[in-house]
Amino acid sequence: MTRVVVEVMLKPEISDPQGQAVLGALTRLGHRGVQGVRQGKRFELEVSDPVDELAIQQIADTLLANPVIEDFTVQVHPPAPANARSPLPPDRLTS
Amino acid sequence: MTAAVPRPGSDDLAQVRVGIVTFPGSLDDGDAARAVRLAGGSPVALWHGTHDLDSVDAVILPGGFSYGDYLRAGAIASFSPIMREVIDAAKRGVPVLGICNGFQVLCESGLLPGALTRNAHLHFRNRDQRLRIAARTAWTGDFAEGVEIVVPVKNGEGRYVGTVETLDAVEAEGRVLARYVGGNPNGSARDIAGVTDPTGRIVGLMPHPEHAVEELTGPSTDGLGFFTSILVSISRAGAGTAA
């Protein structure tokens, strides 16, 4: 199995009122250094090997993102070798 | 002008069968069916999980929260089995009206341009809304052009958006179905409340005409015009030629 991560963001020209609300909250909390926030979505797909990257592009372009208003990126994370340590230390997994 | 053409009689209108699709999470399918009945037509219940349009003459995609609005409002519904048939039928010329969530489904299906997104103020907005009818379509033939009507609006993701090119094209082609008047309830681009396809048969509207069909329960009976319009339009074209 391979983990494929698809991240979806509103296109820059589409205003993001949720991101603006988060920015407003950060400003109220005193985080003056944050100048902008855009909120998006992240999908983690567990895909049988070998990964059909064309199919993944199609999945992202037809269902996961609405290309009228959203852009997406696809990252393929190859499976770790069986004897390799987990890339994330255990404390990260439970946080 | 069609003024010279006699208006079909009530027996003719009753022959017109309008399908109303129920998705899991649809809320306004009952009211839409009731509106078709009050307008004089015959509502037909359609189910999202089938490929059966039951030979209806027109289709209404009702309001609600199909599939819980998961992913994006209307996104999962646009891939449901019945929508395969609705999209095919729409491309053959069968009239389709999407109201609120139904409008979202039509945009997600690519049958209408643009998209509906989270309201600019992030609040669900529920009020009686003044609209100006801006296009003559199969669903608005009974309205005088430019007439103002009052129907309820109720949405959390009703902000119509599109690229500047899309919005310019929609306006230039006279495809703005209706505009908000007296305040834009959700931040929609250019006060657009609804749009039509180039043929005037595939129409999406964010506010709810089906909730304004009776004095007792609505702010007006202005909404009836959408339902009488389609019955008259289909009856004139000869019912039974559709899906």
Side-chain angles (χ1 to χ4, degrees):
Chain A
M1 296 281 265
T2 296
R3 171 161 295 187
V4 176
V5 176
V6 179
E7 290 184 338
V8 178
M9 295 297 294
L10 282 172
K11 287 180 188 288
E13 63 265 35
I14 304 291
S15 77
D16 174 17
Q18 295 182 98
Q20 287 165 10
V22 173
L23 178 63
L26 289 174
T27 305
R28 285 193 298 280
L29 288 169
H31 298 289
R32 305 279 167 199
V34 181
Q35 298 295 312
V37 177
R38 304 278 292 172
Q39 180 174 319
K41 296 189 185 102
R42 172 187 167 102
F43 300 88
E44 298 182 350
L45 284 61
E46 302 298 331
V47 182
S48 313
D49 296 309
V51 174
D52 179 348
E53 297 210 18
L54 205 64
I56 301 291
Q57 288 286 330
Q58 198 183 4
I59 287 167
D61 200 33
T62 54
L63 181 63
L64 301 183
N66 176 353
V68 172
I69 50 168
E70 293 169 329
D71 295 324
F72 65 87
T73 60
V74 175
Q75 295 167 270
V76 178
H77 297 272
N83 60 353
R85 289 178 48 179
S86 166
L88 295 179
D91 58 338
R92 279 285 303 279
L93 291 173
T94 55
S95 67
Chain B
M1 293 296 287
T2 53
V5 181
R7 197 175 173 82
S10 58
D11 287 353
D12 296 325
L13 297 186
Q15 299 290 316
V16 180
R17 299 172 71 249
V18 179
I20 295 107
V21 177
T22 298
F23 299 100
S26 290
L27 297 176
D28 301 327
D29 41 346
D31 274 24
R34 183 175 175 73
V36 169
R37 197 179 309 117
L38 288 168
S42 300
V44 177
L46 301 176
W47 182 241
H48 72 103
T50 75
H51 287 275
D52 185 7
L53 284 186
D54 201 1
S55 304
V56 293
D57 301 302
V59 176
I60 296 174
L61 306 178
F65 298 86
S66 58
Y67 297 88
D69 270 0
Y70 293 166
L71 188 60
R72 293 176 305 279
I76 296 177
S78 73
F79 291 99
S80 63
I82 195 87
M83 280 308 298
R84 298 269 292 277
E85 310 308 321
V86 170
I87 291 167
D88 283 353
K91 288 178 177 169
R92 292 198 308 270
V94 173
V96 180
L97 168 64
I99 302 168
C100 195
N101 191 220
F103 185 15
Q104 294 162 337
V105 173
L106 289 177
C107 287
E108 283 284 342
S109 302
L111 288 174
L112 290 175
L116 284 312
T117 57
R118 189 65 61 97
N119 291 353
H121 44 63
L122 296 176
H123 298 287
F124 192 93
R125 187 51 47 84
N126 178 12
R127 71 182 193 201
D128 297 334
Q129 176 68 46
R130 186 165 289 279
L131 303 177
R132 183 180 301 117
I133 302 295
R136 202 166 180 85
T137 70
W139 296 90
T140 53
D142 273 355
F143 293 109
E145 208 167 328
V147 73
E148 291 188 7
I149 66 170
V150 176
V151 301
V153 67
K154 47 165 196 174
N155 62 66
E157 298 186 38
R159 178 173 57 113
Y160 185 74
V161 299
T163 61
V164 172
E165 295 75 30
T166 298
L167 296 171
D168 285 349
V170 164
E171 297 213 82
E173 294 162 16
R175 293 169 57 189
V176 176
L177 180 79
R179 285 187 211 266
Y180 297 113
V181 178
N184 180 333
N186 45 36
S188 287
R190 306 186 192 185
D191 295 333
I192 293 173
V195 296
T196 174
D197 80 323
T199 71
R201 286 192 288 261
I202 307 171
V203 161
L205 183 68
M206 212 57 212
H208 289 266
E210 80 284 15
H211 295 330
V213 294
E214 280 182 305
E215 297 286 355
L216 181 64
T217 54
S220 72
T221 57
D222 295 345
L224 261 183
F226 286 86
F227 305 95
T228 57
S229 294
I230 196 61
L231 298 180
V232 168
S233 167
I234 289 169
S235 188
R236 282 194 175 129
T241 58

